[in-house]
Amino acid sequence: MSHITIRHYRANGIFIENSSGNRILNNKIKNVINNGIEVSSSSANLFWRNEIYKCFDGIRMILGSTNNWVIENTAEECFDDGFESFLAPDINNAFIGNKSIRNRSNGFDIYGSNNLILDNLLIENGLGIVINEGSNSLAIGNIIRGTKQGTYFVFNGYNNHFSAENYIVCNRREGMYNASQFGILLDNEVLYNADSGIILDSTSRGNLVMDNKLICNIPENIDDRGTNNNLINNIDKPCQPCESPSDVCGYCVDEKDSVSDSSKEGDC
Amino acid sequence: MDMKEKIEKEIVRMKELITDCESVMEEVPKHLRASQELVLESYKRQLAALEQELLELERAQLQNRKFNI
């Protein structure tokens, strides 16, 4: 299914149920009340270069949808999440090269195991990447900027999350918040975030935090509240004199968080 | 958000969506009604599946609590 424009529907833009091997390419979906693309109990489908604008979720995997490829799509100004893997049974999905822009809730809300989040761009979402319920998911090479409420959460109980070469800059809350166990944070750049660079929660345990570059996150670059986490060879640079995230990033750190009130951005 | 809260929230939203769809069904022209009813049936199946997931989750949590006692 390709090159179709779908607008102003009360349901989903495209709905795939109990089906596999479909190719959904180059469609434009705007202003639908439910999700732009919903994939229910379906596997091995390809979603490539679709543009989704002002829906509930952009692209959602639900009820045991596995092994789907979600590549180079754009989800913008959705009411909830840009891209979502809904529950623990939604596993082995790949989200590659997508853009998630100004969605109200999560840029990527990824539940389940062994999902791949690779080379995506997340700009000005309510929250950035959320990893929960399962194990072994990977987030590599993503750019996360301008998130309003929370940037990158890995929840307690999640094992073996691999996070590498992500570029996390100018977000209004902490760069990375890890409450999980036995994960790896490797070679990430975490710069100019308010409310700390990397926070390892009190439940975090046995994580390897290595070769990350942390610059001018306030108040601290790394805050380890957990147990048996290994912090090795991280570059930890404070702000230069008279330098702060708000100066570099062009927003006010002191103003109250407001998810939808874009008129206050940059208004110090 | 934990799984239970997430599923409960989605169930509430699905129920509202189904109610909304049913209420406008009479305004849908006859020649389009069959396909709209197909969609409505899909939503109802999805709601049933989510309710089943919630039930199984609550059962598992109850068993965990009994085991921990």
Side-chain angles (χ1 to χ4, degrees):
Chain A
M1 179 182 183
S2 66
H3 295 89
I4 297 174
T5 298
I6 301 167
R7 292 183 298 181
H8 306 302
Y9 278 85
R10 303 184 73 82
N12 298 307
I14 295 173
F15 183 41
I16 295 178
E17 186 183 29
N18 292 318
S19 183
S20 62
N22 299 289
R23 296 185 175 99
I24 311 297
L25 318 172
N26 286 108
N27 301 289
K28 291 186 180 157
I29 304 165
K30 302 179 190 179
N31 294 101
V32 300
I33 288 180
N34 207 8
N35 305 314
I37 299 176
E38 175 141 338
V39 186
S40 178
S41 307
S42 300
S43 300
N45 299 289
L46 169 65
F47 305 90
W48 183 64
R49 293 198 180 168
N50 299 285
E51 293 174 16
I52 300 155
Y53 182 67
K54 285 192 175 173
C55 299
F56 186 71
D57 285 334
I59 298 181
R60 173 198 279 194
M61 309 285 147
I62 195 171
L63 293 173
S65 291
T66 67
N67 301 96
N68 295 290
W69 296 90
V70 182
I71 302 175
E72 294 184 19
N73 302 281
T74 299
E76 191 171 343
E77 294 189 30
C78 290
F79 187 76
D80 198 41
D81 304 322
F83 298 86
E84 184 171 17
S85 172
F86 190 74
L87 289 176
D90 303 306
I91 62 174
N92 300 336
N93 297 295
F95 300 87
I96 301 171
N98 301 288
K99 293 180 191 169
S100 186
I101 301 169
R102 284 189 297 278
N103 299 292
R104 191 168 176 268
S105 190
N106 304 315
F108 284 79
D109 188 16
I110 305 298
Y111 282 54
S113 298
N114 204 40
N115 292 300
L116 171 65
I117 309 146
L118 173 65
D119 288 343
N120 299 286
L121 177 66
L122 294 84
I123 302 287
E124 294 178 11
N125 297 288
L127 295 100
I129 294 177
V130 170
I131 305 286
N132 200 359
E133 295 292 338
S135 59
N136 305 324
S137 283
L138 309 95
I140 300 168
N142 301 288
I143 296 172
I144 312 176
R145 186 186 174 111
T147 313
K148 298 182 175 74
Q149 291 183 311
T151 311
Y152 189 147
F153 282 104
V154 188
F155 275 72
N156 182 21
Y158 204 92
N159 288 335
N160 196 32
H161 175 60
F162 183 78
S163 171
E165 296 189 8
N166 297 292
Y167 183 69
I168 300 170
V169 63
C170 290
N171 298 286
R172 297 194 192 195
R173 300 294 294 268
E174 64 279 346
M176 301 176 85
Y177 192 101
N178 193 315
S180 71
Q181 294 76 40
F182 310 115
I184 297 176
L185 278 62
L186 177 67
D187 211 10
N188 298 289
E189 288 188 42
V190 185
L191 319 170
Y192 305 110
N193 299 287
D195 207 11
S196 295
I198 295 177
I199 295 178
L200 300 170
D201 186 73
S202 57
T203 58
S204 71
R205 188 163 42 90
N207 294 289
L208 173 63
V209 182
M210 185 164 131
D211 288 336
N212 298 285
K213 188 172 164 186
L214 298 108
I215 297 174
C216 193
N217 299 286
I218 57 169
E220 294 182 53
N221 279 322
I222 302 184
D223 182 0
D224 183 4
R225 307 168 189 169
T227 51
N228 296 328
N229 293 308
N230 296 296
L231 276 57
I232 299 173
N233 203 38
N234 297 291
I235 296 171
D236 183 342
K237 285 189 183 170
C239 299
Q240 297 293 318
C242 303
E243 184 188 42
S244 74
S246 59
D247 293 328
V248 171
C249 304
Y251 60 78
C252 245
V253 175
D254 292 333
E255 70 191 38
K256 287 178 187 171
D257 282 336
S258 174
V259 173
S260 57
D261 190 355
S262 57
S263 63
K264 283 189 178 174
E265 280 184 18
D267 178 15
C268 297
Chain B
M1 198 189 300
D2 73 353
M3 279 234 313
K4 189 167 175 237
E5 196 184 329
K6 196 173 190 187
I7 297 172
E8 283 169 348
K9 207 172 151 189
E10 182 65 11
I11 285 172
V12 167
R13 195 181 75 85
M14 288 296 298
K15 282 180 176 171
E16 280 174 12
L17 207 56
I18 288 167
T19 308
D20 187 47
C21 285
E22 283 170 342
S23 69
V24 300
M25 192 61 77
E26 286 181 12
E27 297 173 34
V28 174
K30 277 184 185 170
H31 65 283
L32 294 175
R33 203 168 288 178
S35 56
Q36 296 303 306
E37 283 170 353
L38 205 68
V39 172
L40 192 54
E41 288 310 310
S42 293
Y43 276 177
K44 287 178 178 174
R45 274 198 301 274
Q46 197 162 344
L47 177 62
L50 283 169
E51 285 170 338
Q52 183 63 27
E53 284 271 352
L54 183 62
L55 211 61
E56 283 169 14
L57 187 66
E58 284 169 344
R59 212 172 281 154
Q61 285 177 350
L62 196 63
Q63 278 187 335
N64 281 341
R65 264 184 240 134
K66 281 183 188 170
F67 183 75
N68 288 333
I69 291 167

